[in-house]
Amino acid sequence: VRLRGVGVVPVESAKVGVIGGDVAISNALIPELDFTYFFTKNIAAELILGTTKHDVQAVNTAAGNVDLGSVYLLPPTLTAQYHFCAEKEGVFKPYIGAGLNYTLFYNVKSGAVADVKYDNALGYAAQVGFDLMIDDTYFINVDAKRLFLSTDVTVDASNLAPGLTVPAEVEINPWLLGIGFGMKF
C-alpha cells in the first residue's frame, strides 16, 4: 500500500468545432492511494485511486478565450508491473508498468457558458518508478505515469449566441508525477 502526493500535469490539445482554437487545462496537486499485489516475485498489479479538479478554458478561439469552468476527474487506473528486483533483493527496487485507465468526469461547473458535457473515457497508462526500502516493511516510492486519455466535449454556449453548440475532441494525456511512502503486508 502506498500513499503519494501526485502532481497532475495535462499535456492538452483540442480540435474545437465551429469557433476553432485550443484548450488549456490547469495542473493539480492531489493525494493518491494505491494498492499493489504481487503474483510472483517480479510480476505485480497496481490499482491507483485519486481524484483531481481542473480549471478548463477554450483559448485562441474566434470568440477569444472562453472560461469553461471546472471539472473533477476520477481516473481509476490498473497497471501490470514488472519489478526488476526480487522481493528480498537490495534497497533500490525499480519497476515499469502498463495498463488501462477509465476516467469519469463529474461535478462540472460551466463557467461563462450555459453547460459543458464530457464523455467518460477509456485510455492507456504507462509507468516507471522505484521503491527505496527503509527496512523490510516501509519504503519511499517515486513514480511517473502517463495516461493517454481523450474525451469528446460538448459546450452549450447558447447563453453567448442563440443555438450555439461547440463540439470538441480533447486530448488530455496527463503526466502523474508522485512521491510518497509505502508499507508491505
Side-chain angles (χ1 to χ4, degrees), residues 53-57 66-72 105-118 155:
K53 177 185 176 188
H54 295 278
D55 295 321
V56 183
Q57 192 175 53
V66 180
D67 176 15
L68 298 180
S70 63
V71 61
Y72 282 82
F105 296 86
Y106 69 100
N107 201 20
V108 177
K109 305 291 184 206
S110 59
V113 296
D115 192 25
V116 181
K117 291 190 173 130
Y118 298 86
V155 177

PDB file of all heavy atoms in Angstrom, residues 53-57 66-72 105-118 155:
ATOM      1  N   LYS A  53      -9.271  18.029  -9.549  1.00  0.00           N
ATOM      2  CA  LYS A  53     -10.094  19.101 -10.109  1.00  0.00           C
ATOM      3  C   LYS A  53      -9.226  19.942 -11.035  1.00  0.00           C
ATOM      4  O   LYS A  53      -8.092  20.284 -10.693  1.00  0.00           O
ATOM      5  CB  LYS A  53     -10.640  19.983  -8.991  1.00  0.00           C
ATOM      6  CG  LYS A  53     -11.451  21.156  -9.489  1.00  0.00           C
ATOM      7  CD  LYS A  53     -11.862  22.065  -8.346  1.00  0.00           C
ATOM      8  CE  LYS A  53     -12.589  23.278  -8.886  1.00  0.00           C
ATOM      9  NZ  LYS A  53     -12.822  24.265  -7.828  1.00  0.00           N
ATOM     10  N   HIS A  54      -9.785  20.271 -12.196  1.00  0.00           N
ATOM     11  CA  HIS A  54      -9.062  21.099 -13.163  1.00  0.00           C
ATOM     12  C   HIS A  54      -9.950  22.248 -13.640  1.00  0.00           C
ATOM     13  O   HIS A  54     -11.147  22.056 -13.876  1.00  0.00           O
ATOM     14  CB  HIS A  54      -8.634  20.275 -14.377  1.00  0.00           C
ATOM     15  CG  HIS A  54      -7.650  19.216 -14.041  1.00  0.00           C
ATOM     16  ND1 HIS A  54      -6.304  19.467 -13.914  1.00  0.00           N
ATOM     17  CD2 HIS A  54      -7.816  17.905 -13.792  1.00  0.00           C
ATOM     18  CE1 HIS A  54      -5.684  18.346 -13.601  1.00  0.00           C
ATOM     19  NE2 HIS A  54      -6.584  17.384 -13.518  1.00  0.00           N
ATOM     20  N   ASP A  55      -9.336  23.413 -13.815  1.00  0.00           N
ATOM     21  CA  ASP A  55      -9.998  24.535 -14.474  1.00  0.00           C
ATOM     22  C   ASP A  55      -9.732  24.389 -15.970  1.00  0.00           C
ATOM     23  O   ASP A  55      -8.629  24.007 -16.381  1.00  0.00           O
ATOM     24  CB  ASP A  55      -9.439  25.863 -13.969  1.00  0.00           C
ATOM     25  CG  ASP A  55      -9.743  26.077 -12.492  1.00  0.00           C
ATOM     26  OD1 ASP A  55     -10.849  25.722 -12.051  1.00  0.00           O
ATOM     27  OD2 ASP A  55      -8.859  26.594 -11.778  1.00  0.00           O
ATOM     28  N   VAL A  56     -10.759  24.689 -16.775  1.00  0.00           N
ATOM     29  CA  VAL A  56     -10.663  24.487 -18.222  1.00  0.00           C
ATOM     30  C   VAL A  56     -11.016  25.787 -18.934  1.00  0.00           C
ATOM     31  O   VAL A  56     -11.944  26.492 -18.531  1.00  0.00           O
ATOM     32  CB  VAL A  56     -11.616  23.352 -18.685  1.00  0.00           C
ATOM     33  CG1 VAL A  56     -11.466  23.100 -20.174  1.00  0.00           C
ATOM     34  CG2 VAL A  56     -11.377  22.082 -17.890  1.00  0.00           C
ATOM     35  N   GLN A  57     -10.281  26.049 -20.011  1.00  0.00           N
ATOM     36  CA  GLN A  57     -10.514  27.254 -20.793  1.00  0.00           C
ATOM     37  C   GLN A  57     -10.329  26.940 -22.272  1.00  0.00           C
ATOM     38  O   GLN A  57      -9.395  26.217 -22.640  1.00  0.00           O
ATOM     39  CB  GLN A  57      -9.521  28.330 -20.342  1.00  0.00           C
ATOM     40  CG  GLN A  57      -9.815  29.708 -20.855  1.00  0.00           C
ATOM     41  CD  GLN A  57      -8.866  30.730 -20.259  1.00  0.00           C
ATOM     42  OE1 GLN A  57      -7.657  30.554 -20.321  1.00  0.00           O
ATOM     43  NE2 GLN A  57      -9.414  31.789 -19.702  1.00  0.00           N
ATOM     44  N   VAL A  66     -12.367  31.612 -23.646  1.00  0.00           N
ATOM     45  CA  VAL A  66     -13.664  31.402 -23.006  1.00  0.00           C
ATOM     46  C   VAL A  66     -13.476  30.494 -21.787  1.00  0.00           C
ATOM     47  O   VAL A  66     -12.964  29.381 -21.911  1.00  0.00           O
ATOM     48  CB  VAL A  66     -14.674  30.756 -23.992  1.00  0.00           C
ATOM     49  CG1 VAL A  66     -16.014  30.546 -23.307  1.00  0.00           C
ATOM     50  CG2 VAL A  66     -14.827  31.597 -25.248  1.00  0.00           C
ATOM     51  N   ASP A  67     -13.920  30.985 -20.622  1.00  0.00           N
ATOM     52  CA  ASP A  67     -13.857  30.202 -19.383  1.00  0.00           C
ATOM     53  C   ASP A  67     -14.891  29.078 -19.457  1.00  0.00           C
ATOM     54  O   ASP A  67     -16.085  29.329 -19.579  1.00  0.00           O
ATOM     55  CB  ASP A  67     -14.143  31.112 -18.188  1.00  0.00           C
ATOM     56  CG  ASP A  67     -14.188  30.370 -16.864  1.00  0.00           C
ATOM     57  OD1 ASP A  67     -13.720  29.213 -16.793  1.00  0.00           O
ATOM     58  OD2 ASP A  67     -14.693  30.961 -15.891  1.00  0.00           O
ATOM     59  N   LEU A  68     -14.404  27.825 -19.415  1.00  0.00           N
ATOM     60  CA  LEU A  68     -15.309  26.668 -19.447  1.00  0.00           C
ATOM     61  C   LEU A  68     -15.513  26.079 -18.061  1.00  0.00           C
ATOM     62  O   LEU A  68     -15.987  24.958 -17.924  1.00  0.00           O
ATOM     63  CB  LEU A  68     -14.764  25.601 -20.405  1.00  0.00           C
ATOM     64  CG  LEU A  68     -14.633  26.043 -21.868  1.00  0.00           C
ATOM     65  CD1 LEU A  68     -14.075  24.908 -22.712  1.00  0.00           C
ATOM     66  CD2 LEU A  68     -15.958  26.536 -22.415  1.00  0.00           C
ATOM     67  N   GLY A  69     -15.120  26.814 -17.019  1.00  0.00           N
ATOM     68  CA  GLY A  69     -15.377  26.384 -15.659  1.00  0.00           C
ATOM     69  C   GLY A  69     -14.382  25.354 -15.164  1.00  0.00           C
ATOM     70  O   GLY A  69     -13.192  25.410 -15.471  1.00  0.00           O
ATOM     71  N   SER A  70     -14.904  24.387 -14.411  1.00  0.00           N
ATOM     72  CA  SER A  70     -14.041  23.361 -13.829  1.00  0.00           C
ATOM     73  C   SER A  70     -14.714  22.003 -13.915  1.00  0.00           C
ATOM     74  O   SER A  70     -15.924  21.904 -14.110  1.00  0.00           O
ATOM     75  CB  SER A  70     -13.724  23.700 -12.368  1.00  0.00           C
ATOM     76  OG  SER A  70     -14.911  23.694 -11.601  1.00  0.00           O
ATOM     77  N   VAL A  71     -13.895  20.969 -13.751  1.00  0.00           N
ATOM     78  CA  VAL A  71     -14.394  19.602 -13.793  1.00  0.00           C
ATOM     79  C   VAL A  71     -13.504  18.746 -12.892  1.00  0.00           C
ATOM     80  O   VAL A  71     -12.308  18.985 -12.779  1.00  0.00           O
ATOM     81  CB  VAL A  71     -14.423  19.042 -15.242  1.00  0.00           C
ATOM     82  CG1 VAL A  71     -13.042  19.021 -15.861  1.00  0.00           C
ATOM     83  CG2 VAL A  71     -15.073  17.676 -15.294  1.00  0.00           C
ATOM     84  N   TYR A  72     -14.120  17.784 -12.243  1.00  0.00           N
ATOM     85  CA  TYR A  72     -13.378  16.782 -11.475  1.00  0.00           C
ATOM     86  C   TYR A  72     -13.214  15.535 -12.331  1.00  0.00           C
ATOM     87  O   TYR A  72     -14.129  15.165 -13.070  1.00  0.00           O
ATOM     88  CB  TYR A  72     -14.123  16.404 -10.196  1.00  0.00           C
ATOM     89  CG  TYR A  72     -14.000  17.417  -9.092  1.00  0.00           C
ATOM     90  CD1 TYR A  72     -14.800  18.547  -9.062  1.00  0.00           C
ATOM     91  CD2 TYR A  72     -13.085  17.240  -8.057  1.00  0.00           C
ATOM     92  CE1 TYR A  72     -14.701  19.472  -8.040  1.00  0.00           C
ATOM     93  CE2 TYR A  72     -12.970  18.160  -7.035  1.00  0.00           C
ATOM     94  CZ  TYR A  72     -13.781  19.271  -7.029  1.00  0.00           C
ATOM     95  OH  TYR A  72     -13.680  20.187  -6.016  1.00  0.00           O
ATOM     96  N   PHE A 105     -15.808  11.853 -15.521  1.00  0.00           N
ATOM     97  CA  PHE A 105     -15.857  13.306 -15.366  1.00  0.00           C
ATOM     98  C   PHE A 105     -17.108  13.637 -14.551  1.00  0.00           C
ATOM     99  O   PHE A 105     -18.197  13.167 -14.869  1.00  0.00           O
ATOM    100  CB  PHE A 105     -15.933  13.992 -16.737  1.00  0.00           C
ATOM    101  CG  PHE A 105     -14.711  13.749 -17.586  1.00  0.00           C
ATOM    102  CD1 PHE A 105     -14.612  12.618 -18.385  1.00  0.00           C
ATOM    103  CD2 PHE A 105     -13.665  14.651 -17.583  1.00  0.00           C
ATOM    104  CE1 PHE A 105     -13.494  12.386 -19.165  1.00  0.00           C
ATOM    105  CE2 PHE A 105     -12.541  14.439 -18.352  1.00  0.00           C
ATOM    106  CZ  PHE A 105     -12.451  13.303 -19.152  1.00  0.00           C
ATOM    107  N   TYR A 106     -16.938  14.434 -13.488  1.00  0.00           N
ATOM    108  CA  TYR A 106     -18.098  14.724 -12.637  1.00  0.00           C
ATOM    109  C   TYR A 106     -17.970  16.120 -12.023  1.00  0.00           C
ATOM    110  O   TYR A 106     -16.931  16.756 -12.116  1.00  0.00           O
ATOM    111  CB  TYR A 106     -18.268  13.659 -11.557  1.00  0.00           C
ATOM    112  CG  TYR A 106     -17.195  13.645 -10.491  1.00  0.00           C
ATOM    113  CD1 TYR A 106     -17.421  14.235  -9.259  1.00  0.00           C
ATOM    114  CD2 TYR A 106     -15.960  13.054 -10.715  1.00  0.00           C
ATOM    115  CE1 TYR A 106     -16.445  14.238  -8.284  1.00  0.00           C
ATOM    116  CE2 TYR A 106     -14.986  13.043  -9.741  1.00  0.00           C
ATOM    117  CZ  TYR A 106     -15.234  13.643  -8.525  1.00  0.00           C
ATOM    118  OH  TYR A 106     -14.252  13.633  -7.562  1.00  0.00           O
ATOM    119  N   ASN A 107     -19.055  16.569 -11.396  1.00  0.00           N
ATOM    120  CA  ASN A 107     -19.121  17.865 -10.714  1.00  0.00           C
ATOM    121  C   ASN A 107     -18.650  18.996 -11.633  1.00  0.00           C
ATOM    122  O   ASN A 107     -17.792  19.798 -11.267  1.00  0.00           O
ATOM    123  CB  ASN A 107     -18.325  17.827  -9.411  1.00  0.00           C
ATOM    124  CG  ASN A 107     -18.765  18.923  -8.449  1.00  0.00           C
ATOM    125  OD1 ASN A 107     -19.853  19.464  -8.567  1.00  0.00           O
ATOM    126  ND2 ASN A 107     -17.901  19.263  -7.515  1.00  0.00           N
ATOM    127  N   VAL A 108     -19.238  19.063 -12.815  1.00  0.00           N
ATOM    128  CA  VAL A 108     -18.866  20.058 -13.820  1.00  0.00           C
ATOM    129  C   VAL A 108     -19.496  21.405 -13.455  1.00  0.00           C
ATOM    130  O   VAL A 108     -20.695  21.488 -13.204  1.00  0.00           O
ATOM    131  CB  VAL A 108     -19.339  19.620 -15.224  1.00  0.00           C
ATOM    132  CG1 VAL A 108     -19.010  20.682 -16.260  1.00  0.00           C
ATOM    133  CG2 VAL A 108     -18.741  18.277 -15.593  1.00  0.00           C
ATOM    134  N   LYS A 109     -18.676  22.433 -13.415  1.00  0.00           N
ATOM    135  CA  LYS A 109     -19.137  23.825 -13.257  1.00  0.00           C
ATOM    136  C   LYS A 109     -18.848  24.501 -14.590  1.00  0.00           C
ATOM    137  O   LYS A 109     -17.719  24.490 -15.068  1.00  0.00           O
ATOM    138  CB  LYS A 109     -18.400  24.539 -12.131  1.00  0.00           C
ATOM    139  CG  LYS A 109     -18.459  23.826 -10.788  1.00  0.00           C
ATOM    140  CD  LYS A 109     -19.834  23.857 -10.198  1.00  0.00           C
ATOM    141  CE  LYS A 109     -19.797  23.226  -8.811  1.00  0.00           C
ATOM    142  NZ  LYS A 109     -21.014  22.676  -8.378  1.00  0.00           N
ATOM    143  N   SER A 110     -19.866  25.134 -15.199  1.00  0.00           N
ATOM    144  CA  SER A 110     -19.760  25.529 -16.602  1.00  0.00           C
ATOM    145  C   SER A 110     -19.092  26.859 -16.891  1.00  0.00           C
ATOM    146  O   SER A 110     -18.880  27.194 -18.050  1.00  0.00           O
ATOM    147  CB  SER A 110     -21.142  25.499 -17.245  1.00  0.00           C
ATOM    148  OG  SER A 110     -22.011  26.386 -16.564  1.00  0.00           O
ATOM    149  N   GLY A 111     -18.735  27.658 -15.942  1.00  0.00           N
ATOM    150  CA  GLY A 111     -18.037  28.914 -16.220  1.00  0.00           C
ATOM    151  C   GLY A 111     -18.884  29.895 -16.996  1.00  0.00           C
ATOM    152  O   GLY A 111     -20.043  30.133 -16.661  1.00  0.00           O
ATOM    153  N   ALA A 112     -18.349  30.474 -18.078  1.00  0.00           N
ATOM    154  CA  ALA A 112     -19.015  31.524 -18.850  1.00  0.00           C
ATOM    155  C   ALA A 112     -20.062  30.988 -19.826  1.00  0.00           C
ATOM    156  O   ALA A 112     -20.775  31.758 -20.450  1.00  0.00           O
ATOM    157  CB  ALA A 112     -17.980  32.340 -19.614  1.00  0.00           C
ATOM    158  N   VAL A 113     -20.143  29.667 -19.990  1.00  0.00           N
ATOM    159  CA  VAL A 113     -21.095  29.073 -20.934  1.00  0.00           C
ATOM    160  C   VAL A 113     -22.244  28.419 -20.165  1.00  0.00           C
ATOM    161  O   VAL A 113     -22.165  28.216 -18.958  1.00  0.00           O
ATOM    162  CB  VAL A 113     -20.395  28.047 -21.851  1.00  0.00           C
ATOM    163  CG1 VAL A 113     -19.359  28.743 -22.726  1.00  0.00           C
ATOM    164  CG2 VAL A 113     -19.759  26.931 -21.051  1.00  0.00           C
ATOM    165  N   ALA A 114     -23.319  28.083 -20.904  1.00  0.00           N
ATOM    166  CA  ALA A 114     -24.501  27.510 -20.259  1.00  0.00           C
ATOM    167  C   ALA A 114     -24.247  26.123 -19.670  1.00  0.00           C
ATOM    168  O   ALA A 114     -24.701  25.808 -18.570  1.00  0.00           O
ATOM    169  CB  ALA A 114     -25.663  27.451 -21.250  1.00  0.00           C
ATOM    170  N   ASP A 115     -23.482  25.281 -20.393  1.00  0.00           N
ATOM    171  CA  ASP A 115     -23.240  23.918 -19.918  1.00  0.00           C
ATOM    172  C   ASP A 115     -22.050  23.320 -20.668  1.00  0.00           C
ATOM    173  O   ASP A 115     -21.767  23.705 -21.802  1.00  0.00           O
ATOM    174  CB  ASP A 115     -24.485  23.045 -20.160  1.00  0.00           C
ATOM    175  CG  ASP A 115     -24.432  21.713 -19.436  1.00  0.00           C
ATOM    176  OD1 ASP A 115     -23.728  21.609 -18.414  1.00  0.00           O
ATOM    177  OD2 ASP A 115     -25.091  20.763 -19.897  1.00  0.00           O
ATOM    178  N   VAL A 116     -21.381  22.377 -20.013  1.00  0.00           N
ATOM    179  CA  VAL A 116     -20.292  21.625 -20.636  1.00  0.00           C
ATOM    180  C   VAL A 116     -20.504  20.162 -20.285  1.00  0.00           C
ATOM    181  O   VAL A 116     -20.733  19.823 -19.123  1.00  0.00           O
ATOM    182  CB  VAL A 116     -18.896  22.079 -20.133  1.00  0.00           C
ATOM    183  CG1 VAL A 116     -17.798  21.282 -20.831  1.00  0.00           C
ATOM    184  CG2 VAL A 116     -18.696  23.567 -20.342  1.00  0.00           C
ATOM    185  N   LYS A 117     -20.442  19.298 -21.308  1.00  0.00           N
ATOM    186  CA  LYS A 117     -20.581  17.847 -21.085  1.00  0.00           C
ATOM    187  C   LYS A 117     -19.320  17.154 -21.561  1.00  0.00           C
ATOM    188  O   LYS A 117     -18.847  17.391 -22.673  1.00  0.00           O
ATOM    189  CB  LYS A 117     -21.795  17.301 -21.826  1.00  0.00           C
ATOM    190  CG  LYS A 117     -23.090  17.786 -21.241  1.00  0.00           C
ATOM    191  CD  LYS A 117     -24.274  17.072 -21.818  1.00  0.00           C
ATOM    192  CE  LYS A 117     -25.494  17.506 -21.045  1.00  0.00           C
ATOM    193  NZ  LYS A 117     -26.586  17.925 -21.799  1.00  0.00           N
ATOM    194  N   TYR A 118     -18.782  16.281 -20.697  1.00  0.00           N
ATOM    195  CA  TYR A 118     -17.595  15.483 -21.010  1.00  0.00           C
ATOM    196  C   TYR A 118     -18.010  14.027 -21.088  1.00  0.00           C
ATOM    197  O   TYR A 118     -18.741  13.546 -20.218  1.00  0.00           O
ATOM    198  CB  TYR A 118     -16.543  15.616 -19.896  1.00  0.00           C
ATOM    199  CG  TYR A 118     -16.028  17.016 -19.690  1.00  0.00           C
ATOM    200  CD1 TYR A 118     -16.692  17.915 -18.863  1.00  0.00           C
ATOM    201  CD2 TYR A 118     -14.861  17.425 -20.313  1.00  0.00           C
ATOM    202  CE1 TYR A 118     -16.206  19.190 -18.662  1.00  0.00           C
ATOM    203  CE2 TYR A 118     -14.367  18.710 -20.115  1.00  0.00           C
ATOM    204  CZ  TYR A 118     -15.048  19.589 -19.285  1.00  0.00           C
ATOM    205  OH  TYR A 118     -14.561  20.848 -19.089  1.00  0.00           O
ATOM    206  N   VAL A 155     -19.952  21.775 -25.674  1.00  0.00           N
ATOM    207  CA  VAL A 155     -20.131  23.035 -24.961  1.00  0.00           C
ATOM    208  C   VAL A 155     -21.420  23.685 -25.456  1.00  0.00           C
ATOM    209  O   VAL A 155     -21.567  23.960 -26.648  1.00  0.00           O
ATOM    210  CB  VAL A 155     -18.938  23.986 -25.192  1.00  0.00           C
ATOM    211  CG1 VAL A 155     -19.171  25.324 -24.497  1.00  0.00           C
ATOM    212  CG2 VAL A 155     -17.645  23.337 -24.719  1.00  0.00           C
TER     213      VAL A 155
END
